[in-house]
Amino acid sequence: MSGHSGSSKRPSRSRLPRAVLVALMLALSACQSGNDEVLGLAGDGAAVQDAAPTAPAKAGPSRSAETLGKGPVKVSMLLPLSAPGTAGDGGRKMRDAAVLAMADLGNDLITLNVEDTAGDDGRARSLATGALASGAKLVIGPTEPGAVRQLAGISGTNRPLVLALAENYTGAPGVYSVRLNEADSAAAGAAAIAAKGARKFVLFMAEGEAGKATEKRVANSLSIYGASLAVALPYGPSTGGSEKAVADMTALVSDPQGIVIASGSANPAPLVAALRARGLLGKGITLVGSNRWIEHGLDDPTLQGAYIATLDSNEIGPIAERFRKTYNYEPDVNVAYGYDTVALAAGIASALGPKGFTKKVIESPTGFRGSTGVFRFREDGAGERAMPFFRIDKGKLKLVEKSTAGF
């Protein structure tokens, strides 16, 4: 769970007529959880680990647009299909997942136009602008941050909704963040500890706008449980290092019950080591990390015992076995995002038709069930997820709770 920007109140569940909410949830639940015959459930998430992985299609020349399905609702999907490296690999996985979702759910409900951004921000901007003017009811992607920021700056009541796929994007009105980002993870982890009784927190956050977004999310998430941020401190290359950060904290606050470190691209280990050296951990003080810690590895013994709320990449839900059998390579979280966004479009089209693609529907407080769990979008474009809660134990993530506090 994560907080609510600008307010600590839970959103009202009466924003949509009950019949509409029920119809939408039933459509999406059938799409993604209970339909064993269509999805070919694995039965045991661990079975996916036994596959002999191959790989998605390789990077290459820019691809032509691809049209899938013949439904009355037009949807655009912008992916870095021909990009090199991890960007292209992720884009091609999302494309394969979209094809599977269309075959399972969407062929008669939506027409999906998939275009290749090639991982180029300028090309992504151009394609995104074209998608907005194409008559599409929904745009899925792009993954390029600059193009997403451009979309967020475009106003207009007739602009289609956007499910953005950029990394570490925190959302904007009408341009929703699909991927789990650090603000989501840190807020959910802090809330899970606050739900157990901790009330006084310190946040070390990344420098810049990303850190400010994380501060807002963590503070509002804590407020739901009667907890608060005593202080929030930027941490990164220009802040003077770990020792100074810890000294600043001790000068400003005493006896915190929780310390949250969401340091963006900065390795959290030196900061954790400095906290331990001062004796600030292990005395009734809980350490909470973020999903970005995983980028740096969890093997450092100083990280032992910290908590992280994040997705479980080994269990992406009921589509895993179906995907593996279809494509003969391992699914990952990119597959989940690709499948879920197309399935969401199909679910809305099925339940409500073309007129269902509105902010009121997308921002339903009830949320949607996807292959990464239950999620919803807020009016500020941020995504919220119920996700597993882990403790770092000998360099591994050990499951503590199957889901952080629900929304």
Side-chain angles (χ1 to χ4, degrees):
M1 172 179 175
S2 39
H4 301 274
S5 178
S7 172
S8 62
K9 296 181 180 180
R10 297 177 185 270
S12 170
R13 292 184 179 272
S14 61
R15 293 176 61 195
L16 293 177
R18 179 173 175 80
V20 172
L21 286 176
V22 170
L24 185 55
M25 285 301 295
L26 285 175
L28 292 170
S29 294
C31 289
Q32 302 194 352
S33 65
N35 195 337
D36 293 16
E37 181 178 354
V38 172
L39 296 178
L41 300 190
D44 179 359
V48 175
Q49 303 299 316
D50 298 330
T54 56
K58 301 290 185 181
S62 180
R63 300 190 186 186
S64 300
E66 178 180 19
T67 300
L68 305 170
K70 56 182 187 301
V73 176
K74 186 175 181 179
V75 177
S76 291
M77 192 172 200
L78 310 178
L79 299 173
L81 300 175
S82 62
T86 57
D89 184 70
R92 292 184 291 275
K93 287 177 179 177
M94 284 188 272
R95 177 267 174 197
D96 288 350
V99 173
L100 185 64
M102 288 296 291
D104 287 347
L105 310 166
N107 276 342
D108 295 325
L109 296 167
I110 63 178
T111 296
L112 182 68
N113 188 49
V114 183
E115 295 193 86
D116 179 17
T117 66
D120 179 78
D121 192 74
R123 179 176 170 83
R125 289 171 187 255
S126 177
L127 289 174
T129 301
L132 293 183
S134 69
K137 293 294 184 181
L138 180 71
V139 177
I140 300 171
T143 64
E144 293 77 12
V148 172
R149 287 193 295 270
Q150 179 193 41
L151 287 172
I154 297 174
S155 61
T157 56
N158 294 323
R159 185 188 71 182
L161 303 175
V162 178
L163 300 181
L165 294 167
E167 294 270 11
N168 299 309
Y169 168 66
T170 56
V175 183
Y176 303 95
S177 173
V178 172
R179 289 180 175 272
L180 175 66
N181 60 59
E182 187 166 44
D184 301 336
S185 175
I193 299 303
K196 298 180 186 302
R199 291 293 175 263
K200 188 177 182 181
F201 286 76
V202 170
L203 169 66
F204 290 97
M205 59 193 184
E207 300 170 295
E209 293 302 315
K212 292 177 183 177
T214 299
E215 178 184 4
K216 183 182 293 186
R217 294 286 299 282
V218 171
N220 285 313
S221 189
L222 291 175
S223 71
I224 293 172
Y225 296 93
S228 64
L229 274 180
V231 65
L233 298 168
Y235 175 72
S238 66
T239 56
S242 302
E243 296 296 335
K244 182 180 185 302
V246 174
D248 289 346
M249 185 200 90
T250 56
L252 293 168
V253 64
S254 60
D255 302 321
Q257 296 170 298
I259 296 177
V260 183
I261 299 178
S263 53
S265 60
N267 190 335
L271 180 55
V272 177
L275 289 167
R276 291 196 186 282
R278 291 279 194 109
L280 295 173
L281 296 176
K283 294 182 178 180
I285 301 175
T286 302
L287 178 62
V288 178
S290 78
N291 63 313
R292 296 205 68 181
W293 284 29
I294 299 168
E295 299 172 13
H296 303 282
L298 304 176
D299 294 335
D300 192 317
T302 62
L303 304 181
Q304 174 78 10
Y307 292 87
I308 296 177
T310 189
L311 302 179
D312 186 348
S313 61
N314 292 320
E315 294 186 25
I316 67 166
I319 68 166
E321 180 70 3
R322 173 102 165 102
F323 186 92
R324 180 172 64 86
K325 288 180 178 178
T326 301
Y327 293 108
N328 195 34
Y329 72 86
E330 280 302 310
D332 64 10
V333 72
N334 291 295
V335 167
Y337 292 140
Y339 194 100
D340 284 356
T341 50
V342 174
L344 176 56
I348 293 173
S350 175
L352 301 171
K355 295 183 179 180
F357 290 82
T358 66
K359 287 185 176 182
K360 191 174 184 179
V361 171
I362 286 286
E363 294 168 13
S364 163
T366 304
F368 313 106
R369 178 178 294 168
S371 58
T372 55
V374 178
F375 64 94
R376 70 179 180 187
F377 300 111
R378 297 200 331 234
E379 63 182 358
D380 62 359
E384 293 183 325
R385 293 180 178 274
M387 67 191 88
F389 195 47
F390 299 92
R391 181 177 183 271
I392 299 175
D393 184 19
K394 298 178 181 178
K396 306 290 185 182
L397 289 176
K398 183 177 180 180
L399 184 65
V400 176
E401 297 176 9
K402 290 184 177 179
S403 180
T404 51
F407 46 67

